[in-house]
Amino acid sequence: MTLRCGIIGAGQIAWGYDGGRWDGQHSLTHASCFDRHGDTDLVAVFDPIKASRDTFSTDYTGPSEVAVLDNLQDFLALDLDLVAIASPTRHHGDHLRACVDAGVARLWVEKPVTLELSEFEDLRAHIDAMQTPPRICVNYFRRALPQVTRLKAYVQSGVALTRGEVSYSRALTVNGVHLLDLLGHLFDVTTPPPLDWVRADASGANPDFGLTLAGVPITVTGHDLPYHLIELRLTGRDGRLALTQSGGALTWEAAQPNPDYPGFFHMAAPCPEMPFVTTQAAMRDGMFLMLDNLVDEQATPVSPLKSAYFAQSVLTLVADAGGLL
């Protein structure tokens, strides 16, 4: 059965980055993932902003006949099987609740789910109380990457980790939140500990802070940069494993004897833990992997709503501690 799909929000992540069409190499948006998947068909888009609707109507290159609507109730009346919520984050809560109450069976929600933890908790309680709750996927797609699976195996192997370092740019609520979610995922932590320290940056969007997970001190550093920086490094007694290039590369630096100074050790040059061609291809396929997981009701959810609690909570802890945001 082909699922009738809709998108709330006609912006870049909805369809704009790649025109909404699967070209055999790139499926970087909700629309192109729907085009690529054999069991989904994009039939409707809702956006209250006329300019966004007009641009979609003119420039969308996907194969579907898509209804472009300016009224949410008309959109939800189309008997949709799956809805992607790609509106601005401040509207996610209202749109998610509307879809849930309309009986949409599958929901694909952009991150973060909300800006306020209280709103997230209200939504989760509302959904948990339902007799037949929808299947929900939060688009923390890095969880689905094989390089992240390898990184998690390293963390869970019992290796003696001494420190974790996270670097991000272009706002904690936009890019950094991906790494917050990864920390919860890698360490299997659902509720974050109190922050060890926090420092706001000049912009208020890229704070620095520290927390400790499973006895490992983690430093999170924000950078006010015009380019994307999304990196996570874990240092242990045997070396350092690093997720770089926004998640598209996993490298290993082994601790090894220093031939110049007998009895001492140093770090070997970084080498791919997995082939770059594999990790980079997986990164490009991340969103599609999330859609495939959402469509397959027999599959274990990769990024269910409840797993998003860790990242949501950290955002609130940082803001409450004066990190702004």
Side-chain angles (χ1 to χ4, degrees):
M1 180 185 73
T2 300
L3 302 177
R4 291 170 51 81
C5 302
I7 304 174
I8 294 177
Q12 294 286 65
I13 195 64
W15 73 279
Y17 287 129
D18 55 19
R21 173 180 287 276
W22 162 240
D23 64 1
Q25 295 184 331
H26 303 95
S27 50
L28 307 177
T29 65
H30 294 283
S32 61
C33 287
F34 289 143
D35 180 17
R36 179 179 177 181
H37 202 288
D39 296 327
T40 59
D41 184 21
L42 178 62
V43 300
V45 166
F46 158 71
D47 198 301
I49 299 174
K50 184 178 185 301
S52 297
R53 297 194 305 273
D54 291 347
T55 300
F56 179 88
S57 298
T58 301
D59 297 341
Y60 169 68
T61 62
S64 307
E65 184 72 25
V66 179
V68 184
L69 303 170
D70 63 356
N71 182 280
L72 181 59
Q73 295 309 312
D74 291 344
F75 171 85
L76 292 174
L78 294 177
D79 193 26
L80 301 170
D81 302 301
L82 190 161
V83 170
I85 298 175
S87 52
T89 304
R90 64 184 181 276
H91 298 306
H92 284 183
D94 290 340
H95 291 154
L96 178 55
R97 185 178 286 268
C99 289
V100 167
D101 291 346
V104 180
R106 298 172 184 82
L107 294 167
W108 189 8
V109 187
E110 273 303 318
K111 50 73 196 171
V113 179
T114 63
L115 291 175
E116 299 293 336
L117 181 60
S118 58
E119 184 179 22
F120 176 88
E121 291 174 327
D122 287 346
L123 282 167
R124 184 175 169 186
H126 179 66
I127 293 166
D128 287 347
M130 297 178 66
Q131 184 173 1
T132 307
R135 185 176 173 92
I136 298 178
C137 168
V138 182
N139 199 34
Y140 288 120
F141 66 85
R142 286 167 177 79
R143 284 176 172 247
L145 306 182
Q147 53 266 44
V148 170
T149 299
R150 172 67 187 89
L151 187 59
K152 183 168 183 175
Y154 178 69
V155 173
Q156 299 293 318
S157 68
V159 65
L161 293 174
T162 61
R163 181 167 294 277
E165 299 166 277
V166 167
S167 297
Y168 73 93
S169 67
R170 298 180 67 82
L172 184 63
T173 57
V174 178
N175 285 331
V177 71
H178 275 294
L179 292 167
L180 298 184
D181 178 72
L182 280 187
L183 288 174
H185 177 61
L186 295 175
F187 285 89
D188 278 334
V189 179
T190 55
T191 302
L195 299 181
D196 297 330
W197 56 273
V198 65
R199 180 175 59 246
D201 78 322
S203 73
N206 304 293
D208 306 337
F209 55 95
L211 67 165
T212 301
L213 300 176
V216 181
I218 310 289
T219 299
V220 180
T221 305
H223 299 262
D224 186 9
L225 297 169
Y227 58 87
H228 287 200
L229 178 67
I230 300 179
E231 296 184 346
L232 190 152
R233 301 174 189 273
L234 296 173
T235 302
R237 296 289 181 181
D238 54 349
R240 180 165 58 191
L241 201 56
L243 190 69
T244 61
Q245 295 186 21
S246 294
L250 185 67
T251 56
W252 171 247
E253 299 169 80
Q256 64 180 21
N258 188 330
D260 297 322
Y261 299 94
F264 291 88
F265 287 72
H266 67 172
M267 303 289 280
C271 65
E273 179 70 9
M274 302 175 69
F276 282 134
V277 65
T278 299
T279 55
Q280 290 173 338
M283 182 68 185
R284 287 193 297 270
D285 282 345
M287 283 191 61
F288 179 77
L289 294 173
M290 298 302 275
L291 173 62
D292 193 51
N293 178 257
L294 177 61
V295 169
D296 183 1
E297 291 191 347
Q298 303 306 311
T300 300
V302 172
S303 184
L305 183 65
K306 64 180 181 181
S307 71
Y309 181 80
F310 179 85
Q312 295 285 158
S313 298
V314 174
L315 290 177
T316 297
L317 287 172
V318 172
D320 289 348
L324 303 180
L325 300 183

